Amino acid sequence: MISLGYIAKRTVFDTKMLPGLNQFVYFFAVPALLFNASSKESISNLLNIPALLAFMSGVVLTGLLAFVVSRFVFRETQAEQLVMRGLNGVFSNYAYMGIPLTFAVLGETAYGATVSIILAGNIFLIGGAQMLLETIRQKEVGIKPLLQILDRSLLRNPIFISTVLGLTVSANNIAIPSAVASVLDMLAPAAVPVALFCLGASLQLTRTAIRYSELGWMILLKLCVHPLMTWLAFLMLGVDDSVWLVTAVLLSALPTGALAHVVALKYDTFEKETSQIVVFSTVVSLLSVTLWMSWLG
């Protein structure tokens, strides 16, 4: 799909359509995917607080390392650029690669852990990154500006809204009208191909502002350091649930998710660099994820 997007851009695709397709992914397809995932799983299976805390600890440790290296080794000083580098280092391709991978390795026992981590990743990582970007762009300080930041980054965030609605439906056993369910079932599968097509259409294989050394570092950080930090966090916090451990490490070992590129496009920052990190980390992950699976299995 990435290759098709890249070829289409060079032949028949008008790149002026790219923002519209990305908006379709961001406002319709991905929310439908997350709503379906959260509404069809019981709350008790989704909430494993110690395991989620260990997973988020791995995210925090990796994010801090991304910030330190970007700031002091690669000398990046712009706050928005640092936020996007952190997001590239910790946000995995959860929904697009995570679900088939964990199901293939662990079967249905991993469903609750997989969906829970996907939801946490989208709410806290995508939502958190947008909140930081909105905060950086906010000129004023005080309660009103803070509410405006929350409004733009969360309360109007379709990913956050769809997840909350899905959890509400699950918690209260609300029946979804068949017509609505049919529309959601048609929209949700579009998230994967359209997002990857858009990624390919925006891909720049020519040299960008990011150095090759930093590109290599970001790929190493995402594919090796992040899962290692997740594994260490589970050990340090004494979380011994093997299904959650393997699921969390495998999901952390996945390449940078295409949704990071959607955020980059939305805020017009680190966009070309993000597309390269997503693509090249995906290619390298064919080997690295296999090695992680062998080691864990």
Side-chain angles (χ1 to χ4, degrees), residues 131-158:
M131 184 176 292
L132 286 173
L133 291 170
E134 292 286 356
T135 302
I136 292 168
R137 295 185 177 188
Q138 185 72 44
K139 303 301 182 181
E140 306 174 43
V141 294
I143 298 298
K144 184 177 179 180
L146 176 60
L147 293 176
Q148 292 174 343
I149 292 170
L150 290 173
D151 181 35
R152 289 193 296 268
S153 60
L154 286 181
L155 301 182
R156 298 189 191 184
N157 185 332

Side-chain angles (χ1 to χ4, degrees), residues 76 81 85 206-212 214 270 272-273 276:
E76 179 57 59
Q81 294 277 326
R85 281 168 167 81
T206 55
R207 185 174 177 82
T208 63
I210 191 170
R211 288 168 283 185
Y212 294 132
E214 187 174 9
F270 206 60
K272 294 179 181 178
E273 294 83 352
Q276 289 195 330

